[in-house]
Structures are given as C-alpha cells and as structure tokens.
Amino acid sequence: MKIGAPANKPGRVIVQVLLHLLLLQSVHCQNSRNKLNITNPGQNIPPALTVQLRRVSHDKVVIDNGIIQVTFSNPQGLITGIRYHGIDNVLDDEIEDRGYWDVTWYEPHKKLEIDKLEGSKFEIITQNEEQVEISFTRTWTISKRGSLVPLNVDKRYIIRSGVSGIYMYGILERLEGWPDVDMDQIRIVFKLNPKKFEFMALSDDRQRSMPSMADRDNAKQLGYKEAVLLTNPKNPMFKGEVDDKYMYSMEDKDNNVHGWISSDPPVGFWMITPSDEFRLGGPIKQDLTSHAGPITLSMFTSTHYAGKEMRMDYRNGEPWKKVFGPVLAYLNSVSPKDSTLRLWKDAKRQMAAEVKSWPYDFVTSEDYPLRHQRGTIEGQFLIKDRYVSRLRIYGKFAFVGLAPIGEAGSWQTESKGYQFWTKADRKGRFIIENVREGNYSLYAWGFGFIGDYKYEQNITITPGSVMDVGPIVYEPPRNGPTIWEIGVPDRTAGEFYIPDPYPTLMNKLYVNPLQDRFRQYGLWERYADLYPQNDLVYTVGVSDYTRDWFFAHVTRNVGNDTYQPTTWQIIFNLKNVNQVGLYTLRIALAAAADSELQIRINDPKSDHIFMSGYIGKDNAIARHGIHGLYRLYSIDVAGGLLNIGDNTIYLTQTRSLTPFQGIMYDYIRLESPLRT
C-alpha cells in the first residue's frame, strides 16, 4: 500500500482479490489452451489477451496479444524480435537480418541485386481488441532506378487475439511505363535463434536434428557452394554427413507447413501456407523450405528446379500487381514433460485449420477478395485413348487447375498471375473453389498418360459464380498402338534405378526412406562406377526399368575434372515392319539441365532423326530433384529405317562440361503406324 493512500474496506479487498484470481485463472487457461490449440479470436477475450499496439516510435513498432510480442523496425517493416513463452527473442538477435522480405532482381544485362523491400512509411490499418493490422509501404520513383526494384511495396502484418503467430502478406505493384526488369525470387526469410532451435521438421518422415551454420562454415565444400561435407561439427553425430539446403526441397502441393523445434524451452516455430494461389508453376513446382541456420522460408516465387524459363520478366512498360499471402508464422509450446514431437502434430493441426479458413475473412485490403467475392468451377475429367480402352477412362486423381490464359502446359512456367489447382477423385470429378475473379484457362494432366490438356474455351470467374463444365475429354497424343514402353508417365524419374549413395557422402535422413533416395548427394557420379567404359544398354522384354535404367542420363567422369557425352541404347525386336509407314517415338522428359538430346536409329554414326537443341536450366540433378520442367517430344520414325529382327535406338546427351549436365526421362514409348 502506498504511504498516505486511504485504507480499503475489508469487503472491497475480498472482491479485488477474487477478481484478480479469476483473471489469473483466465490467463492460465488461455495460455494452456494456446500451447496446443488456437482460440476463436474475439470471443470472450480476457483483458490480458487483447491485441495491443504497445509502442510506436521513430524506429520501432511493438504489438502484443498476451501470447506473443512482435517488434518491427519503423519504417522499414523488418521483424526484429518475437518474444514467446519465456524466450526473449526466437530470432537470432546477434545479426541484423532476422525476419524480412526480399526480391532477387536485375535490369536486363545488368548485375543481380537483392532488395529487402524496406518500407519508408508506417501506417495502422486496423486497431481493436481483436486484431491489429499494420502496413509498411514504399513508393518507387524514377530517381530510385538502379538502386531499388521498380515496385510499389505494401507489406502487411496482422496480429490477432488468441493466435500465437503473425499473419503476413504483401501487395507488390509496378505501374505502366516502368523500366524493364527481371525478378528471379520473392520470399520471406526468418533466421531463428541458433542457441534454441536445433531440430527441423518438414513432414512426418522428414525430421532430424540439424548441424549449425558454424558447422557448415567449417566444413568442406563439395561440387557447389550449397553442398558441404561436415568435417568438424560441434556435435560429433554430424561428422561425415553432407548438408545441402536443396536436400530439403518440397513440391508446393505438399509444402504447407515446416519449421523448427527448440527443446529448452519446448517451443516450435512454423511457416504455414494455407493456399498455393499466389505461388507459381503449378502443384509440383519444387522449392526450398527450412534449412541449416536455423532458417525458415516462405517461397513465393523462384527459378529453382525450372531455370530462367520461369523468371518474372517485364518488358515494354508492362504493368502488374499481385498479392502474396497471407502466410502464418506460427509458434507453439508444450509442457517440458511432453514430447516435443507434439509440436509438429499441433503445427499440422493448425495448418489444417488455416486451410479450412481460407480465404480469410479478417484481411482488410481491397486487393484481397473475400469468399463471397470469389467463384467456383466444377466438372469431370475423362480420357479417351482407343488403344487403351474403347470406353472413356476416368481421369483418376488427375490434377485440374485454373491458371492465366495460355497454351496447353503453359502453367508450369507461368509466373505472374494466380493459379488454382485441385486433384480429381477416382471418377475424375473435380471442384475448384474460392477462385479470384478473372479470366483463365482450364488445364489438366495426371498419372498414366502423357501430355497436357487445355479446355477449348476460356473460363471467366465472377464473384459468387458457380460454373459446371460437365464432362471434359482429353485425348492424349497417340498415332498407333504401343509396341513397347519404358517407365511410367508421371512426370518424374522416380520409378527408375536410383543407386546407393557413397558411404562417405550421405545424409542420414535419407538412408531408410525409399521414396527419397534421390535426395542424396553425388548420385550422378555413380553412373561412371556402374558404366566405367560402356554405356547403358536396355533390351526391351529382358531389362527391367526399375533396375536397368539409370535415373538420370548424365555425363561420364573420366578423371581430372573431365567429362564425356554418353549414348544409351534401347534394343528391341520387330517381327514385321511397315516399310512405308511412320512409327512414332514419344519421349517425355522429367528434367533437363544444359543438355542436348540426339536420337539415331540402328547406326550410331548416321544422321540423327531428332535433335532437341539446347534445353533446360532446372538443375534438378545437382539439386537432388527427381524432376524439373516437363517436356514431351513426338518423333516420326520412317519405317524404312527399321529392320525385321533386332533394332537399336541410340540416345545421346551431347553436352559434357560438368557432371550436372543431363536429362531425366519420364517415359518412352514406340507406337506402330496408324491402323485404319
């Protein structure tokens, strides 16, 4: 009691004590629920858990909701601190760059630049007990040409009551007439406290303790800067392992939650992406997730596993505007008595809740349409291939999507607009909900058939519209019946032979899971071990592609950093030949990196019947991907080139400056001439 303050009456003291105890109990219950559950914002919020704008100064903005406290630099809009569950800062406070956006960009024929999209103006968008939304903006002018990416920037952050996380989205815009520019990458980066976060989780079967950045700094660099051999790590359990951030890549359709776990105190930090609509390149575009640092990323756009074909290039004053996000940086905690793996389970639960809530109803920007401002399309996808079935086939589990108007398959390199994808059911039925207003093409592709489908008419989505396109029928490329085939048409090389890694170049995460064997380092070098002098020979009817077809058509290492082209052979027998007919060779590629494919028939020194030209920048071989961009070639083979009896197709990958040049096949098929 203050000296000189009037004494409280006994009844008043009792009431105040009871109210204080009730408040403490309410806060305790709320914090206990928040360890593994999210509350419904705005419902019965205790005063201690309302969202409060604690501080706005010339250099700092602080928001607190009673669960987390987030500090932003003002007016730059960098996230400099996150206080949560007894940790003063879950970010690395020993470095300046802790939580930020960045864009990798350049004007044509000029050097590459990185712009952290730092704001120059701060604004409060919404402020009430349920949420605070703030904005950091920057307006581009011609005087900033060369120093800043030519974009108007509006970075938004939302802190909500009862939510242990930060919702983040950005509105990027270029106006008509602005300078030409290329943008290779847009992302959000979090660099976490390395003294706390040592365990990384990407999926149920991709989880492990991780080496530190210091371990990487003291390691031996391998074939490229991202891949290192850990030679003297602080924790001896990592010694002799390979670490490479590309080992932890993931397809966008699966990349909706990943992050890190601290054991003391038991806290998780997760990046949750509730929708892919603002990403690029379709559902199987691969990108980075989390990696050693500890670092967690939200990748919006990149050229990873695709190359420059996917860059965002703007010419002739082209205008553009797009909303990226919102995504959620989510934090959770458990009791020290509980397993920290419960944090991963809760992160998945939270992700599912965010997906169900999409599109969010609390985002205030007019550039972000709410549910009633979006539309729906549905239908049934069927396949017609008379050499497989006389009846139409259900497009079982096919991918069906809306993307900007283009040619069949153009969605996989489209990088400027929005895309909306779903997976059809067993009978090919599909429904795509919550589509932004606009004009689109309807695309489809899937397992078991080659090529890409595009609906013949453009699709116009308006607010509240529901469109039923009914049964749509795709006729895959086909000229005649199959003589033989190699592989499975699924846009990957995953069904082919993937060798064991070198024992001295392993990542222990991928020792047991069969589905991720391709993520090991150095598998490309194993080709020369298996075929030291003579190249791969595959005999149709005798060989088995799961053990006799190497997963990547690579160069051969002949020593002294010298590599040579390789020529694979496919041997097959024909009992009869239509000498005047045209046979068709279908070759679907799953990836290509600085390559050229040449094809010859029955004479390796004859003129080639096909040459791809220079193709591919997806770098999937070096970056442990089992696919990059999909390519399909249909090649005429004159019957006069074939023999009754044995025949040989020669496949030559001609470029051989590095070990990373090569192609991955998806599927190969020879068709006989058309039957009438």
Side-chain angles (χ1 to χ4, degrees), residues 61-77:
V61 176
V62 181
I63 303 176
D64 192 321
N65 70 356
I67 306 171
I68 63 168
Q69 184 181 95
V70 186
T71 302
F72 305 87
S73 64
N74 188 11
Q76 297 86 0

Side-chain angles (χ1 to χ4, degrees), residues 535-539 549 567-571 648-651:
D535 284 319
L536 183 151
V537 177
Y538 186 93
T539 302
W549 190 273
T567 298
W568 292 9
Q569 300 178 45
I570 303 172
I571 299 174
T648 303
I649 293 177
Y650 296 92
L651 306 172

Side-chain angles (χ1 to χ4, degrees), residues 265-280:
V267 165
F269 183 98
W270 310 100
M271 182 59 65
I272 293 178
T273 306
S275 170
D276 289 333
E277 69 177 49
F278 41 80
R279 285 171 165 169
L280 76 172

Side-chain angles (χ1 to χ4, degrees), residues 100-102 115-117 155 157 169-170 187-188 300 324:
Y100 58 91
W101 290 67
D102 70 17
D115 187 335
K116 287 193 168 58
L117 302 183
K155 298 185 297 184
Y157 301 99
Y169 69 105
R187 63 180 186 170
I188 298 176
F300 295 122
F324 294 96

Side-chain angles (χ1 to χ4, degrees), residues 593-596 612-617 655 661:
D594 297 327
S595 300
E596 180 185 72
S612 68
Y614 178 71
I615 55 172
K617 284 285 187 178
R655 296 178 179 263
Q661 292 173 287

